Amino acid sequence: MTIDQQKIRSWTQIFLRHVADIGLTRHVEEEEGYKFVAVEHFQRHFDLEAADLVTMLDDAIVNNNLVAGSMYFPKKMLLIFAESEPEVVRNALWRLYDESRPVTDRLTEVNVTFDELMARRNEALGETAHSYINLRFLSLMLGLRYPEQHNPIKPSEWRVFAKYLNESFTQPKRLTAGEQYELY
């Protein structure tokens, strides 16, 4: 996809005008500051070697709109999985955070692991529920751990941005989590 630099500049100017209109302090403290707090908190409390994985994850991941909403609860599902299959979850997180491997591979593998855990849980309970542990949440987990290297993404917002840059943009079907991350 060819990126129109004028559109990038225009988008940037819209954002900078918004920040100027409300003030930098308000933007940081009221609109986006909770994200910085979440990263700092995670950095202080995350310990993948903790004996009690559930308690550590519950403490390290701050409850906010990034991990919970009216119809979105990946943190809760992560805790459920950590309770029922702690070593599977611990190993999945080790793989997610293994910076020696391509991020696209890690995201795809870990996403598959949580899909398999959810499928087993659904089969055992006779349900068709979702784990909500997908690219959005996994990229957030990467961003919490390595904020200088990885950007959390919200796929729906990236698709809107891609459409803004190129009106003919369409996302290919059936991309893995890693392929989506690379595309965005």
Side-chain angles (χ1 to χ4, degrees):
M1 170 169 87
T2 303
I3 297 176
D4 181 339
Q5 293 302 310
Q6 181 55 39
K7 284 189 173 186
I8 293 284
R9 284 190 286 280
S10 174
W11 188 280
T12 302
Q13 288 305 311
I14 291 167
F15 173 73
L16 293 175
R17 267 195 308 275
H18 167 73
V19 172
D21 288 347
I22 65 167
L24 183 58
T25 300
R26 179 174 171 215
H27 174 71
V28 171
E29 291 177 3
E30 294 178 25
E31 291 188 357
E32 301 296 328
Y34 71 96
K35 295 174 183 176
F36 298 104
V37 169
V39 169
E40 180 184 354
H41 187 85
F42 186 85
Q43 295 286 316
R44 282 193 323 241
H45 294 90
F46 185 78
D47 175 11
L48 204 42
E49 295 181 11
D52 184 346
L53 183 65
V54 175
T55 300
M56 182 279 295
L57 288 171
D58 192 28
D59 186 43
I61 303 170
V62 174
N63 288 319
N64 59 32
N65 67 327
L66 300 172
V67 298
S70 61
M71 299 294 286
Y72 179 71
F73 12 82
K75 177 184 176 181
K76 179 180 179 181
M77 291 308 302
L78 181 65
L79 297 176
I80 288 171
F81 292 142
E83 181 70 37
S84 65
E85 305 234 20
E87 290 315 306
V88 173
V89 170
R90 192 182 308 270
N91 288 332
L93 293 174
W94 277 118
R95 288 193 326 267
L96 181 65
Y97 294 134
D98 180 0
E99 289 289 293
S100 71
R101 299 184 54 239
V103 67
T104 54
D105 294 347
R106 293 182 279 144
L107 284 165
T108 297
E109 289 172 16
V110 173
N111 190 72
V112 167
T113 297
F114 284 109
D115 284 350
E116 290 170 351
L117 286 172
M118 192 70 223
R120 288 199 304 263
R121 185 173 194 277
N122 280 339
E123 185 175 333
L125 298 174
E127 295 179 351
T128 58
H130 300 282
S131 75
Y132 305 97
I133 299 176
N134 53 22
L135 176 59
R136 178 179 173 182
F137 182 69
L138 294 175
S139 69
L140 172 68
M141 293 294 287
L142 279 172
L144 290 171
R145 180 78 187 258
Y146 301 118
E148 300 294 326
Q149 289 89 4
H150 300 288
N151 293 314
I153 61 167
K154 188 173 182 180
S156 60
E157 291 178 1
W158 280 98
R159 283 190 295 272
V160 168
F161 182 65
K163 277 282 201 199
Y164 173 79
L165 293 177
N166 180 344
E167 293 173 8
S168 65
F169 172 79
T170 55
Q171 180 174 316
K173 303 255 188 245
R174 300 177 206 246
L175 295 177
T176 66
E179 291 167 336
Q180 287 180 56
Y181 190 77
E182 185 174 53
L183 176 69
Y184 301 139

